Amino acid sequence: MAATNSSFWDTKGSNQPDLLCGRSAHNTFVKGHFPVLLCSIIVLGGFLKACLKNSEVVVLTILFLAGFVIGHLAYNFVEMHQIVYPLLRTSSFSLYCYFSPLIIFTAALDVDFYVLKNVLWQVLLTGLISFFVAVVIVGNVVMKFNNDSWDLQSCLLFSMTIAITDPVHSVNSLKTIGISKMYTDIIRGESMIVCSFTTILFGFFRSNILHLSVLREYHILVDLILNISGSIICGYWCARIIHFIFTDLFGNTLTNIILYFSMVYMIFYMVEFFGMSGLVALVTVGLNLDSLSFKPRIKLIISKFLIMFSSMFQHLIYAFFGIVIGCGQTKYFRAHTVVFILILFATVNVVRLVTIVLVSPILMYSTYEYNWKWGAVIAWSGIKGIFSLLLAPDVYNLAEQKIESPQMFILYVQVVSLMTMGINSYMMTHFARTLGLCAISLSRQMAMLNAIKHIQEIIQNTITLFKTEKILTNVNWTLVEEKTKIKYSIPFYHISHDSNGEQSTTDDALIEEARLHIAMIQMSSFEKQCKDGILGVEAARILIGATKSYCPIQRKFMSIYDVFTYVKARSWLMHFKDMLTFMEYHKVKSFSILPWKNKFLVFAYHIVLSEEFEYTGHIISFLYIYPMILHLWPIARKLNVLSLMLVNSYFVTLCVLQSALKIIILKKSYFCQHWNTVEFFIMLIGIVDVFCIYFVKLRPENLVLIQITVVIGYLRIIRFIPLIKLIIPLLIKTVEVQIKKRLSLMYSITKGYIKSQEDTAFLIQQISSRESIYQKLYKILEINKRDAVKELGLIEHEGRNVLIALKTKQAIRNVIAKALKNLTFLWSRGIIENHEGIEMNKVLLAKIKALNNFPMEIPPPTPDKYLHNIVWLQNKDVLIEFFKQRAKLAYFDYGEIICKEGEMPQGIYLIISGMAIVHGSAPTFGIDSNLRSDRESITKFTDYCTCGDIIGELSCLLKRENEYTATCETILQACFISLEDLYEGFDVFWPSLEYKIWLKLALKTAYQYFESALVDEDLKFQKCVALNLAYVATLSSYNEMTIDNTTMKFVIVVYGSVIDTRTEVPYLAPCILPKTCEQVQGTSDLSKLLVVQASEPAKNNNHPRVLIGNRISFYKGTLMALIG
């Protein structure tokens, strides 16, 4: 770190006394008064910001003027001078180190690295062009129009200082009007590059590296490369450390916040101490951290603190520099000062315009949204701010020729920064609105209107529900409806009109807008899965990064294959493992009967097959390391020529003996082992080496022979190649571990992708209300989901043991997460005291943390254990034992058909391993063909079944033909229960077993088609059986059923069809019956209705504590069992 200056203005090398505010430095300050000034500035800034919420430039201007007044008073009065004395004695570099780390880190943390990575080289090029254009143009203008006699170095440093675009204020105005984050990140990324580059160059000036006379350019270039690369590497590893610390489950929020702020400064100072750029390191740290790098909700708290301290630092900076300017003599403030400031302001904007003109072709080529309108807006983004101010005093301190008015450097920068904050910010927003860049497209308007309509429906349903409560009978519901009605007007811009004047929006435009919405929904799903513990942090980060990478590509819906391409999955590891396996050394197999009777051959056979023989060969190679070092060292080689020749002869002799023994025993099979071939080749080179040395002794004058001998002597290095045999087994184990980790990661990625597709499928109706768009989007999502399920099955087949361990780990995590929710419920109700709650929370978190040491592989359970996974057997021993005696193992090869569409079922298949593809016509749900004529056509469907899935349940229940064909995609093993054995079980365990299978199928159908409606219902199979939360009702043809809306929350037709007896409206499965339906009649031979009961049935209205008590008892029992 460069040495700090003794005072704000560096006067070393000068014989003049150190004058501050025009007074001698011997005037000491009054203790305790400067902290009062500090607090007063903070309070004034906070008060102004509270009063002037949207006028940050006005707040900073007032603080600057207040500081100027204080500085002018300090210049004239000793008492005020004593108050500001500590500020003036503080070096400018110290102020830079106090304020800049937190502000640059806040700016970097707000940048989306995935977005920036897509345009990284464009941003780098823009930053460099901006910097050099500013230095050239501003430097020339300053030299020509400045009247203060600045030397060349001062002009250069000043132009570098004013070239910095403020990373905070340059995008604040754009963020408030809804501009695309991609453009704000481009502006902010460019400003951070220019800022980092400028601070590095100022560091060179401070360390005097630019004044080296010998190899100056070489030193500058090397130091610049090391500075940047070293800072980036340090920043990356610091980000990894921060991620490790702040994802710890036992971390205290307050401690984490304190540690977070202290680490920001510690990283900055440590990197500066080692001679690199702390600013670049902090930018790297901020870019590598995201919401997944912290525990849930802690990033929001830290971001609030960062914004608060950044704002406070800005207020202090502008007030402090106002004081410094006020301490200068006013005789230097002339009319030309105002003219020069206006020239600087115009020059800064011209520089920005020239930069945008130069980089526009690059941005237009790389970003499809960029056009001249965006260029016009970004041309006004050259707003100057804090970093220009912090470096402004160093223009005087580092100048070769000192001037009499150093405060003028700060005055010019500060006034220009305030002018750009006010004028440029206004022009940016004005241009954006005028050119329609912040307008909402028609497709987005439609999506927003759909969302508003959906919210209004929710509000209306809530009001309708509240009207039924007795305590609210005297409420004025008309007034409630009036006050809760949403009146939100959307500015309708960008609506295209055809020749008839009507609105016309193509499906392509609507699908493109919907694609971006889908990407946002998917990223939200990935983050939620990560916070819920379903998805790992690394998998979530990869999925989010892939989504953001493919977002800029028009008409591109990200598929699972795109994700695999993005992550470049495991292919090189597999190739590397294959190569290592090929190179692995295989020991010679012993003969069952010895083919020789010769005692020498038998003795040689036992020697060659012994482990000691192999170890001896390795020891000889290791012992030869020292002679090889002496041979490569010229001085040592001259001193030990005879010894090296003898050692070489002994080594070759041992190699010949080793190979001879192996050839005698193995004969032709000796060369089948590639390592033997290598050893034989090394032996031949060694023999040639010995003969060459011998011939050199005979003919020492032959130069060609000597050169050949020298070359062959250096080839002795290949004698260490056989030692690789020892490393290969260790490398294979390491690679296998990495492959297993990669396999687990790919499984988590695929699983998370499938869940995001399911989440998106329930929300696409809210994205676009146009039916054609909905159908296209739904089809795309289904195809992508089907491909992902297929890949999931292939991954499961590839690493079965690894994925069993991963699934087991996820199941444990889900159970503990559920227990944590139950604990929170009991804690919030006061049933568990605070101390007990904290201790139980620690126990559960410790169980989650222990999963980090979970084994990577678990052997699969035996086939009979899979019967426990059949949900309708309920893990009851009597049922499992009954079917275990009758179940059989079935094996299918790739491409073999398990069951065929149109054929009668033979039984049910529980898949133990492998994957099957299921395809056929759309399910009929038992609806008669005459009723189905108006429904959607015979759409073909395709699905994939993997480990744990059951094939043939519904067909066996109905004893009807299969509605699909199941074909093996891999080698498949299944547990088969024949139709006869299944119905025998129905007879033995009648009627509960058949009913439970129907309940399981009904719940599956309900969640498959109506998950969005049932999202608040906890309809797990075990709970439905135990607590009767839902049940299946059966209707035959012409049978009737009364629907009581007070006890029945939902009635879902899951199979067959019914008709409303009052309105005669038919309802075909699958569908939810409306609340207006009071009685239905079956119209199919068999109809099944899933009835979801209300949370508090009518019979329990007088005793609501019963249900709550049962729920609490259930939670406490589950929690205690888990902790115990």
Side-chain angles (χ1 to χ4, degrees), residues 441-459:
S441 63
L442 181 59
S443 50
R444 285 187 62 191
Q445 292 171 23
M446 293 173 66
M448 291 177 67
L449 288 173
N450 288 334
I452 293 168
K453 182 181 178 183
H454 181 64
I455 294 170
Q456 190 65 56
E457 289 175 357
I458 293 174
I459 293 173

Side-chain angles (χ1 to χ4, degrees), residues 28 36 85 106 123 139 283 303 307 445 674 711 827 840 906 977 1025 1079 1086:
T28 58
V36 173
Y85 181 81
T106 306
V123 173
V283 168
S303 299
I307 293 169
Q445 292 171 23
H674 48 266
V711 172
W827 201 347
M840 294 171 75
Q906 302 299 315
I977 301 175
V1025 174
Q1079 191 177 50
L1086 179 67

Side-chain angles (χ1 to χ4, degrees), residues 685-705:
I685 297 294
I687 293 172
V688 172
D689 185 20
V690 171
F691 276 104
C692 285
I693 293 172
Y694 177 74
F695 289 135
V696 167
K697 284 183 179 180
L698 295 178
R699 303 185 65 179
E701 71 283 352
N702 193 328
L703 294 178
V704 176
L705 186 59

Side-chain angles (χ1 to χ4, degrees), residues 539-791:
R541 188 172 280 120
I542 288 171
L543 284 166
I544 292 173
T547 306
K548 291 180 178 178
S549 296
Y550 287 107
C551 257
I553 304 174
Q554 282 185 301
R555 303 180 184 87
K556 179 66 177 176
F557 288 85
M558 185 182 72
S559 67
I560 191 64
Y561 305 113
D562 296 324
V563 180
F564 288 170
T565 303
Y566 175 81
V567 75
K568 296 179 177 61
R570 79 183 182 280
S571 58
W572 72 272
L573 284 171
M574 297 298 294
H575 293 317
F576 188 50
K577 182 189 174 184
D578 292 341
M579 185 183 71
L580 291 175
T581 306
F582 174 76
M583 294 172 61
E584 190 176 11
Y585 177 71
H586 302 286
K587 291 183 179 180
V588 179
K589 294 181 180 179
S590 59
F591 299 109
S592 56
I593 300 174
L594 295 179
W596 317 282
K597 294 182 180 179
N598 188 300
K599 291 183 179 180
F600 173 75
L601 293 177
V602 173
F603 179 68
Y605 166 78
H606 288 297
I607 290 178
V608 170
L609 265 67
S610 65
E611 291 186 356
E612 289 81 1
F613 185 75
E614 293 293 333
Y615 294 150
T616 303
H618 298 322
I619 291 170
I620 292 170
S621 298
F622 273 114
L623 290 176
Y624 193 72
I625 292 175
Y626 181 69
M628 191 66 207
I629 294 173
L630 294 180
H631 177 76
L632 296 175
W633 192 358
I635 299 174
R637 185 171 63 242
K638 289 181 181 180
L639 296 174
N640 301 278
V641 174
L642 184 59
S643 301
L644 289 174
M645 289 171 59
L646 289 173
V647 169
N648 182 53
S649 301
Y650 290 147
F651 182 86
V652 173
T653 303
L654 291 173
C655 288
V656 170
L657 180 62
Q658 181 185 29
S659 298
L661 286 173
K662 285 187 177 182
I663 291 172
I664 290 170
I665 299 301
L666 301 177
K667 297 181 181 178
K668 292 182 180 179
S669 60
Y670 173 79
F671 293 101
C672 295
Q673 172 65 264
H674 48 266
W675 281 111
N676 291 338
T677 307
V678 172
E679 290 174 358
F680 186 79
F681 178 74
I682 292 171
M683 180 197 70
L684 291 179
I685 297 294
I687 293 172
V688 172
D689 185 20
V690 171
F691 276 104
C692 285
I693 293 172
Y694 177 74
F695 289 135
V696 167
K697 284 183 179 180
L698 295 178
R699 303 185 65 179
E701 71 283 352
N702 193 328
L703 294 178
V704 176
L705 186 59
I706 292 173
Q707 289 175 348
I708 293 173
T709 305
V710 170
V711 172
I712 293 177
Y714 284 111
L715 286 177
R716 294 176 190 175
I717 197 75
I718 66 174
R719 296 175 182 180
F720 301 110
I721 292 177
L723 293 177
I724 299 174
K725 289 189 292 185
L726 300 175
I727 309 172
I728 287 177
L730 182 62
L731 288 175
I732 289 176
K733 289 182 180 179
T734 306
V735 171
E736 284 178 348
V737 170
Q738 293 302 318
I739 288 173
K740 290 170 185 175
K741 288 182 178 179
R742 207 67 175 170
L743 200 63
S744 299
L745 177 64
M746 298 311 299
Y747 179 85
S748 298
I749 288 172
T750 311
K751 197 77 175 175
Y753 178 84
I754 292 171
K755 183 68 171 67
S756 74
Q757 295 296 106
E758 293 172 352
D759 294 342
T760 308
F762 297 119
L763 296 173
I764 54 174
Q765 191 70 49
Q766 308 301 327
I767 295 174
S768 179
S769 58
R770 188 178 292 185
E771 186 63 25
S772 61
I773 303 299
Y774 171 78
Q775 292 297 334
K776 288 180 181 179
L777 294 176
Y778 190 82
K779 184 178 179 181
I780 291 170
L781 292 175
E782 281 299 307
I783 292 172
N784 287 343
K785 179 186 173 183
R786 187 180 67 209
D787 292 341
V789 171
K790 178 183 177 182
E791 289 298 319

Side-chain angles (χ1 to χ4, degrees), residues 1072-1103:
I1072 299 180
L1073 297 181
K1075 294 292 184 183
T1076 56
C1077 190
E1078 297 177 354
Q1079 191 177 50
V1080 293
Q1081 182 184 60
T1083 55
S1084 297
D1085 294 337
L1086 179 67
S1087 298
K1088 295 286 183 177
L1089 285 75
L1090 178 66
V1091 180
V1092 181
Q1093 302 217 62
S1095 56
E1096 293 187 7
K1099 62 180 180 180
N1100 290 336
N1101 279 346
N1102 296 327
H1103 303 283

Side-chain angles (χ1 to χ4, degrees), residues 5 211 252 279 406 417 480 505 583 816 856 908 953 1039 1107:
N5 304 318
H211 299 289
N252 180 271
L279 217 63
S417 72
V480 172
T505 305
M583 294 172 61
I816 298 174
M856 195 168 291
I908 63 172
E953 281 176 308
N1039 284 359
L1107 283 174

Side-chain angles (χ1 to χ4, degrees), residues 43 93 99 113 172 192 208 232 274 286 349 426 484 551 706 828-829 1020:
V43 170
F93 184 70
F99 293 124
F113 178 65
N172 279 351
M192 287 190 295
N208 294 323
I232 291 173
F274 288 108
N349 287 295
Y426 171 77
T484 55
C551 257
I706 292 173
S828 63
R829 296 299 188 273
K1020 298 291 189 300

